Amino acid sequence: MVQYNFKKITVVPTGKDFIDIILSRTQRQTPTVVHKGYAISRLRQFYMRKVKYTQQNFHEKLSAIVDEFPRLDDIHPFYGDLLHVLYNKDHYKLALGQINTARNLISKIAKDYVKLLKYGDSLYRCKSLKVAALGRMCTVIKRIGPSLAYLEQIRQHMSRLPSIDPNTRTVLICGYPNVGKSSFINKITRADVDVQPYAFTTKSLFVGHTDYKYLRYQVIDTPGILDRPFEDRNIIEMCSITALAHLRAAVLFFLDISGSCGYSIAQQAALFHSIKSLFMNKPLIVVCNKTDLQPLDGLPEEDMKLVMEMKAEAMKTVVGQAGEAADEDAVLLTMSTLTEDGVIAVKNAACERLLNQRVEIKMKSKKINDCLNRFHVAIPKPRDQKERPPCIPQAVLERKAKEAGEIEKRKLEKDLENENGGAGVYSADMRKHYMLADDEWKYDVMPEILDGHNVYDFVDPDILQRLEELEREEGLRLEQEADDDDFEMDGKELTPEEQEALAEIRKKKSLLIQEHRIKKSTAESRPIVPRKFDKDKKYTTERMGRQLTSLGLDPSKAIERIRGRSVSRKGRKRERSLAGDDEVGDDAMDVDGDQPRKKLRLRSQSISRSRSRSRPPSEVVPGEGFKDSAQKVKAMKIGKKAVKARNKDARRGEADRVIPNLKPKHLYSGKRSTGKTDRR
């Protein structure tokens, strides 16, 4: 099944926009800086690349326009004729032909100038050839400006055309203007066609869809047709003629028997006979509309005779189609779109006849032989002479009758609406369908906000149980914290010597705290004395050792630890000084000849790593929304990849074009001739 979607055709830019887009892209995506000192081969290559790139972009854009617009000879005849009626086939083909010619001309210009650039002997000559090539390409595009504008107008109009499938099940409505065609399609489909009490309200084809026997049908509303010569018909009428000529559909010819449309039954019958050749081999139904104003039985004799003639013609068109010739009632139907009397009957009759015709055509086709080989109908052999008609048990019949009675008794929402004031007055009661444990609860008023709180935040049947669990958990946590905080020694488990040492330590601790507080209170006015000028020698390892020894503690490990720190600090300084020297090789020895500098550098790196450093990019910070560092690294990779193409194009954002400098230097500098220099 072929589907035509003209909404996907790309926008056709105007000639000026076309040139701006291509030249801007060439400027962005090719190198822009060249110097006189370059080799001549490099200069030639620089300008040849610009010419080729511009030609390639023009070729791609023009090819997209030529390929996306439909070729009238390759698409369905219905669409081909419809486009011819709307836009004139010759003008359409000429415009596309000019686009194709421009594409070939630009390719030829680029080929010629690339050949000349191969023999350019200076920067000035190469640049002049490049400017000439791009100028001639732009001139070609300017000349096809009217064709581009015409194709853009066609594209806009085609995008508004309805999406009609020429091969699916279709019901086509035709007739004089203002006979009720649009009202009918609004009744049987969800289409919203404008309906007004004057002629030619519908100016184009409108499509709606309806269902019958679980199948989807396409309903097409055509503009009104007047009874006049073919060459005098306008574009609006020709749309209807095209649809009648090319679509295999069930045709509903609408007849206004009341005459309120402004045309007599004789005029409508003349139109029917003038276009009856378009109804051949199609299911045709003559629909007498507006029976609420004029019943069919009350027509004058002359008008009734004309209606019967149309009925006889309609019978002729369907002779031989699935035995429908004998069913005369299905050819002439009456209805009123105002009262909706007979609307569904007309729809069902048209769909049924169309379905029968399609089945008949498929039965006559060659494909049916392949299908019949797969079918097998099993017929049981008779065992005796008894007749066994189909039998439905009495209990089933009684139950069906009971259900039908209940359905009749049950009131629907529509009945309640009609009883209580109709649409806009009646408000449906939704609470009666609530499924609750007790029906009396259905109309209880439950507040949403109470005392400034959302009620639904506190509606929890297990809230007391959860509160108890939380309190129990909080109590356990507090007990655990109390156990952890109980780290002060009471001295009961210690020996007398250890108790004396503990008392000394506590005394010393209190003295230090007091001293610290005194220093803190006088810190602003007290000068800072460097350690090397400390006359009292308060902070030395010997003094610390004497103090610890006096307390009865072994100071050796503390002294070793402090000396180890000072040695590592000196070694670090030494390594930094070595790293700052000029490197003479990885195997060069240090001053003392103890170890190679390479090992020193490695050691200094390991030491520097042990010190504090800034957070690595892959580390997850709380609140960033990442599960772990692997997920963060993956997200960073995807983000870099997403902006890579944009960064390559040197674009500021995601827009199509960015001109970072409105006056680029290469266009506004250099020698200038006499005259105006405001544009160069």
Side-chain angles (χ1 to χ4, degrees), residues 290-319:
K290 303 186 183 179
T291 53
D292 57 315
L293 299 176
Q294 171 66 57
L296 182 62
D297 301 336
L299 282 177
E301 188 177 346
E302 295 178 0
D303 292 343
M304 195 66 183
K305 185 178 178 184
L306 293 172
V307 172
M308 289 299 117
E309 286 178 3
M310 285 189 277
K311 179 180 178 181
E313 289 291 340
M315 293 290 295
K316 290 178 185 177
T317 59
V318 295
V319 171

Side-chain angles (χ1 to χ4, degrees), residues 513-523 526:
I513 291 170
Q514 289 174 11
E515 188 180 352
H516 173 69
R517 284 175 181 166
I518 293 167
K519 282 184 180 179
K520 192 175 179 183
S521 63
T522 61
R526 189 179 71 256

